[in-house]
Amino acid sequence: MFSKIKHPEDDGDFKVSGWGYRHQQCLILFFALTTAYSMRACMGVALVAMVDNNLPELTIVENHVANDSVFGQHIANITNDSLRDGFLHSLLFVPPYPQFKWSKKTQDIILSSFFWGYMLLQIPAGQLAYKYGARYLLTTALFTNSVLSFCFPWAAFYGGWVLTMIFRIVQGLTQACIIPGMHTMFGKWTPLEERGRLAGWAYGGQALGAVLGLPITGFVASSPLGWPGLFRFYGILTGIIGAVMLKFGVDSPAKHPKISSAERRYIEERLGNDNENKKNPIPWSSILTCPGMYAIIIAHIGQTWGQLTLYSEVPAFMDKVVGVNIKANGLLTALPFLCMWVTNFFFSWFTDMLIVKKILSVRNTRRLANSLGYFPAALGMIALAYLPKNIYIVETLLIIICSFSISAHVGFQINHIDISPNYSGTMMSISNFVSNLVGSCSPLVAAYFLTDVTNEFLWRKVFFVAAGLYFFTNVIYLIFATAERAEWDSTKKMSIDNELELMAFDWSMQIQSVILSSFLWGYIFLQIPAGELAASLFLFQKMPTPWKAIFTSLPFISLILTHCGQNWGFWTLMTEIPSYMKQVLGVDIKANGLMSALPYISMYLLGFPMGFLSDYIIKKKWLSITASRKMFNSIGLYGPALALIGLSYVPAGDVTLAVLTLTLVVALNAGHYTGFLLVHIDMAPSFAGTLMGITNCISNALSIVAPLVAGAIISDENNPSEWRKVFYLSSAIYIIGSTFFNIFGSCEQQSWNTSEETEHEEKTKI
């Protein structure tokens, strides 16, 4: 790396390796982040001091309330001695301090409520930092946190857990401005060759904040100042940092009154920045269609969840399972984060050297750093779930996890700046919003698992979830991450024509198929829970779901297979017909919509006579219920299968024949409405919703693959022979699913549909 840069108009040489104003700005950001994270991390240990459910509830006499609750909260550890200090005690300046009887779920709601506010302002904060500059945004956030923290004890005592939660939400709203504001400043102050060290150094405040916050919390909470003194300490400290930001913080080198022209030029040349881009509209369509952006978001989710588990749940784990007292708890919980802060310097230097020496590309450097942060953390979490709960073993393992996890700060966390220095704050606000939206569930999931906070087997589930997210989110990041500077980051003002061009996407068939199948990823998620919920809400006689009997029933398995065949064919047609109409038949988009809809209109209309005919056949006893269902199911699946084979041979360009064939394919599919779909009810009326939830979940999970397979097969969308393969495959699956149902399907009501008591009652009535 260059050590000196000489400019004719400068009096002396500018030393890149020397201290500069870019270092000063990162130092200020470091202090701001350290304070914010110290305040955030303290809450987990603070609750250990604030809550004691084992103390007896005592009546508060002449102390503003006349019973054992304040706004619905239960308070312990208050006696008549409280009255001796009168006014000072009412302000919580002198002991004894109240302790609250808050359940673990209430505590976790308080912990997670910070993130409800935190995620809400992420995207607006990025916009504000981009439009008005980060300096005033950060200053306002710090001053507001100062006031809220100082008043926090009064909110807890006089407002109960509800007002405590509200204060936490507002703190989250203001701290939402910090990370996007920092990233906006990094985009103006950190050259690529120093980005790992400068941004990594500033982001080290996350670790140091925990290092300082956790032991400070333990010592102050156990001192005469008590837990109220802890929040007042942070209120004063945050106010001081806010004043420093207001006095010395500067949005960009161009606005700094004292920076040398050499240092300013060095920064701006390596960033390729000027001030004209500040007036440019944010290219939302480009940002939101950038694969690298989504890789960052996924990685950010894994990191946020893991961090919250470490920050919020580890203090309780140390207290309830390992048995560490609150004073030692803060110190021991902080030790891993101290190691994290120290190793941060190594990873920051290491990644910069890999880039400067050209050992690895920027992209591979970010991927390596992220993997060093995630994979060891995932393995450590799994080990934490099984190793003996000895303080020395647990502490050593936590040190290893934290020491490596900091590497992600020079992985995905500064990847935003690589892709777009000009819009890095906006990109960070988006990824931070999504990650904290998901991350806010972390304490709630922990509360769901931890019905007994002293049970180490329940804690194992908490650590498994964190480990799984660390692993899978990093795998996705490794596949899709990029570090190339985006074209839309150009400093030239985009014209309206350019903006309009961005609205038409050059997406391959494979990408279109991923988008089409993505709906089903969410759709399948709640199928089985929805069936169970419906059964529990609307069955007058509640019976346990006979899961074993259901999954060992051959007729039910035949239902699953025929449902899979139906969904594969249906979603192939639903998602691929418009592309087929356009690419092979040459139908324009206006006519395309109408022609693609015509087959489904026919399907809707044909459903009425098929339903009537099915009931009529059963009523007249021409066929048994089972035979009737199989006949109409065969019409619904065999018919489309044969018609699809015919469709594959329709001459290219023959729109009329193609539409008629498609209409036949889809219209005949109406047979399944009175076929296998009704068999769920025939087999087990009491559990029909659960059965449908299971078959719909499995069949739609398979349906996710259908558009992806079509995308994999069709490399040339204009080639009819490739579309033929897609139609052949759907035909085969239609036939296999229906054949299995015809062999093993049954409409007889299953023995597990009713309990023995219900059967007895029915016989008695008869």
Side-chain angles (χ1 to χ4, degrees):
M1 194 166 79
F2 301 111
S3 61
K4 292 184 179 181
I5 297 177
K6 180 74 174 180
H7 293 281
E9 62 271 32
D10 295 327
D11 295 332
D13 292 337
F14 164 62
K15 294 184 178 180
V16 173
S17 58
W19 180 268
Y21 283 102
R22 63 193 185 283
H23 300 95
Q24 181 199 66
Q25 296 305 305
C26 289
L27 179 62
I28 296 170
L29 294 175
F30 165 76
F31 283 126
L33 192 63
T34 300
T35 305
Y37 265 77
S38 183
M39 181 185 295
R40 189 185 307 185
C42 79
M43 197 65 206
V45 179
L47 281 173
V48 177
M50 294 172 67
V51 175
D52 191 343
N53 290 318
N54 296 319
L55 289 173
E57 294 177 12
L58 300 175
T59 301
I60 303 174
V61 181
E62 299 177 5
N63 192 37
H64 301 283
V65 289
N67 53 45
D68 66 344
S69 66
V70 179
F71 288 88
Q73 66 178 320
H74 294 290
I75 300 176
N77 203 29
I78 300 291
T79 67
N80 288 337
D81 293 337
S82 307
L83 301 175
R84 290 180 301 185
D85 295 294
F87 179 70
L88 288 178
H89 181 266
S90 68
L91 294 178
L92 304 184
F93 283 127
V94 293
Y97 301 111
Q99 288 181 289
F100 308 101
K101 293 182 72 66
W102 291 340
S103 67
K104 184 67 171 70
K105 288 187 176 180
T106 300
Q107 296 175 55
D108 284 319
I109 288 172
I110 292 170
L111 288 171
S112 68
S113 61
F114 172 91
F115 297 95
W116 305 344
Y118 186 72
M119 67 187 181
L120 199 63
L121 272 188
Q122 284 296 319
I123 296 177
Q127 285 279 280
L128 291 171
Y130 174 73
K131 188 172 182 180
Y132 300 107
R135 176 192 176 198
Y136 290 117
L137 186 69
L138 293 172
T139 301
T140 303
L142 290 167
F143 281 143
T144 305
N145 265 271
S146 174
V147 174
L148 289 169
S149 183
F150 197 87
C151 299
F152 190 88
W154 302 329
F157 184 56
Y158 292 104
W161 72 268
V162 175
L163 191 56
T164 302
M165 177 186 70
I166 293 171
F167 263 53
R168 290 280 291 169
I169 290 172
V170 179
Q171 279 188 319
L173 286 169
T174 53
Q175 285 203 25
C177 303
I178 292 178
I179 298 295
M182 288 180 62
H183 246 56
T184 300
M185 291 186 72
F186 289 147
K188 302 294 184 183
W189 284 99
T190 58
L192 175 62
E193 294 88 349
E194 298 180 293
R195 187 167 297 155
R197 280 165 290 176
L198 291 174
W201 173 34
Y203 274 123
Q206 291 181 341
L208 190 62
V211 170
L212 298 176
L214 292 169
I216 287 173
T217 302
F219 282 110
V220 175
S222 59
S223 75
L225 294 174
W227 65 263
L230 169 70
F231 293 101
R232 295 192 178 102
F233 166 77
Y234 279 115
I236 296 170
L237 178 62
T238 309
I240 293 171
I241 301 300
V244 171
M245 174 63 71
L246 181 62
K247 176 68 176 177
F248 298 105
V250 182
D251 290 324
S252 67
K255 291 185 176 181
H256 203 293
K258 296 182 179 179
I259 192 171
S260 67
S261 59
E263 184 181 5
R264 174 182 170 180
R265 186 177 293 105
Y266 163 71
I267 296 169
E268 292 180 345
E269 284 178 354
R270 277 153 182 76
L271 289 174
N273 281 355
D274 55 39
N275 285 331
E276 291 178 2
N277 72 297
K278 190 169 183 180
K279 298 179 182 179
N280 289 346
I282 294 176
W284 289 108
S285 59
S286 298
I287 292 174
L288 296 177
T289 55
C290 175
M293 181 69 212
Y294 287 98
I296 291 172
I297 290 172
I298 296 297
H300 208 157
I301 288 171
Q303 191 234 24
T304 300
W305 191 287
Q307 271 194 339
L308 283 173
T309 300
L310 290 171
Y311 286 152
S312 301
E313 303 304 330
V314 165
F317 175 74
M318 299 285 278
D319 177 49
K320 304 300 182 183
V321 177
V322 185
V324 181
N325 66 56
I326 184 172
K327 191 170 182 178
N329 195 336
L331 185 61
L332 292 175
T333 306
L335 184 57
F337 295 100
L338 176 61
C339 298
M340 177 192 281
W341 181 63
V342 172
T343 55
N344 173 61
F345 293 102
F346 165 74
F347 286 119
S348 299
W349 169 84
F350 178 63
T351 54
D352 276 352
M353 288 305 102
L354 290 176
I355 294 170
V356 171
K357 301 291 186 182
K358 297 185 178 180
I359 299 172
L360 290 176
S361 66
V362 178
R363 180 194 183 201
N364 287 335
T365 300
R366 300 293 178 237
R367 295 198 295 183
L368 173 64
N370 219 66
S371 297
L372 290 173
Y374 280 41
F375 287 146
L379 295 173
M381 287 286 189
I382 294 172
L384 190 62
Y386 285 100
L387 288 178
K389 300 306 174 279
N390 177 284
I391 180 59
Y392 300 105
I393 296 174
V394 171
E395 189 70 6
T396 302
L397 194 55
L398 288 173
I399 288 172
I400 294 171
I401 292 172
C402 291
S403 296
F404 278 96
S405 66
I406 194 68
S407 179
H409 286 182
V410 285
F412 86 89
Q413 198 150 345
I414 61 173
N415 198 191
H416 311 73
I417 311 170
D418 300 326
I419 296 173
S420 174
N422 293 318
Y423 304 108
S424 57
T426 299
M427 294 174 68
M428 172 55 84
S429 69
I430 296 171
S431 70
N432 217 19
F433 166 74
V434 177
S435 65
N436 281 282
L437 179 65
V438 178
S440 65
C441 300
S442 174
L444 302 179
V445 169
Y448 174 78
F449 287 135
L450 298 174
T451 52
D452 177 6
V453 292
T454 62
N455 188 327
E456 65 180 80
F457 296 101
L458 297 180
W459 280 99
R460 188 172 292 173
K461 298 178 182 179
V462 175
F463 296 138
F464 273 167
V465 172
L469 283 172
Y470 265 133
F471 181 83
F472 289 110
T473 55
N474 189 59
V475 169
I476 293 173
Y477 181 77
L478 292 177
I479 296 170
F480 296 105
T482 182
E484 293 182 9
R485 185 163 178 177
E487 293 180 5
W488 41 266
D489 189 59
S490 170
T491 59
K492 294 181 180 179
K493 188 172 182 179
M494 287 185 286
S495 66
I496 295 175
D497 290 339
N498 288 337
E499 280 293 318
L500 290 175
E501 270 183 31
L502 292 174
M503 301 305 293
F505 309 113
D506 184 20
W507 290 343
S508 67
M509 188 63 187
Q510 287 75 15
I511 293 175
Q512 296 176 52
S513 299
V514 169
I515 294 170
L516 290 169
S517 69
S518 59
F519 167 84
L520 299 170
W521 305 347
Y523 183 72
I524 65 173
F525 205 62
L526 281 185
Q527 286 296 319
I528 297 176
E532 279 292 277
L533 185 61
S536 65
L537 289 176
F538 299 113
L539 275 179
F540 292 104
Q541 181 180 4
K542 304 296 190 297
M543 294 180 290
T545 302
W547 295 107
K548 183 178 179 181
I550 289 173
F551 282 105
T552 55
S553 169
L554 191 57
F556 178 68
I557 294 172
S558 75
L559 273 186
I560 294 175
L561 291 177
T562 195
H563 204 159
C564 289
Q566 158 62 25
N567 270 30
W568 183 287
F570 182 81
W571 283 104
T572 298
L573 291 169
M574 179 72 78
T575 57
E576 304 304 330
I577 281 178
S579 294
Y580 175 75
M581 300 282 281
K582 178 184 177 183
Q583 304 297 340
V584 177
L585 303 179
V587 180
D588 65 71
I589 191 166
K590 187 173 182 179
N592 196 333
L594 182 61
M595 291 184 181
S596 297
L598 183 59
Y600 296 96
I601 296 173
S602 303
M603 180 183 187
Y604 169 72
L605 294 175
L606 192 58
F608 292 105
M610 282 194 173
F612 169 79
L613 186 59
S614 171
D615 285 346
Y616 191 78
I617 289 173
I618 293 171
K619 183 178 179 181
K620 293 295 184 179
K621 297 184 179 179
W622 292 350
L623 291 175
S624 67
I625 297 175
T626 298
S628 174
R629 300 289 186 241
K630 290 181 178 180
M631 182 182 76
F632 281 96
N633 204 69
S634 297
I635 294 171
L637 275 71
Y638 287 148
L642 297 173
L644 272 175
I645 295 173
L647 179 64
S648 66
Y649 288 97
V650 170
D654 193 338
V655 177
T656 304
L657 182 58
V659 171
L660 288 175
T661 309
L662 282 171
T663 301
L664 181 64
V665 170
V666 178
L668 289 174
N669 192 229
H672 84 278
Y673 292 144
T674 49
F676 81 89
L677 282 182
L678 296 180
V679 178
H680 301 79
I681 308 169
D682 299 328
M683 287 176 61
S686 298
F687 302 104
T690 300
L691 297 185
M692 176 56 81
I694 296 169
T695 64
N696 213 23
C697 174
I698 296 172
S699 63
N700 280 285
L702 186 65
S703 300
I704 292 173
V705 183
L708 302 179
V709 169
I713 293 173
I714 301 170
S715 56
D716 180 5
E717 298 174 66
N718 300 310
N719 190 339
S721 63
E722 295 192 357
W723 283 97
R724 189 171 296 162
K725 297 174 185 176
V726 174
F727 296 146
Y728 270 157
L729 180 61
S730 296
S731 296
I733 294 175
Y734 264 140
I735 292 170
I736 292 169
S738 186
T739 301
F740 200 92
F741 175 72
N742 287 338
I743 297 171
F744 298 106
S746 173
C747 291
E748 293 183 8
Q749 190 171 124
Q750 301 298 297
S751 59
W752 40 264
N753 177 63
T754 55
S755 63
E756 293 181 1
E757 293 79 3
T758 305
E759 291 176 354
H760 176 72
E761 287 176 7
E762 290 176 351
K763 290 177 181 178
T764 303
K765 289 178 183 178
I766 293 171

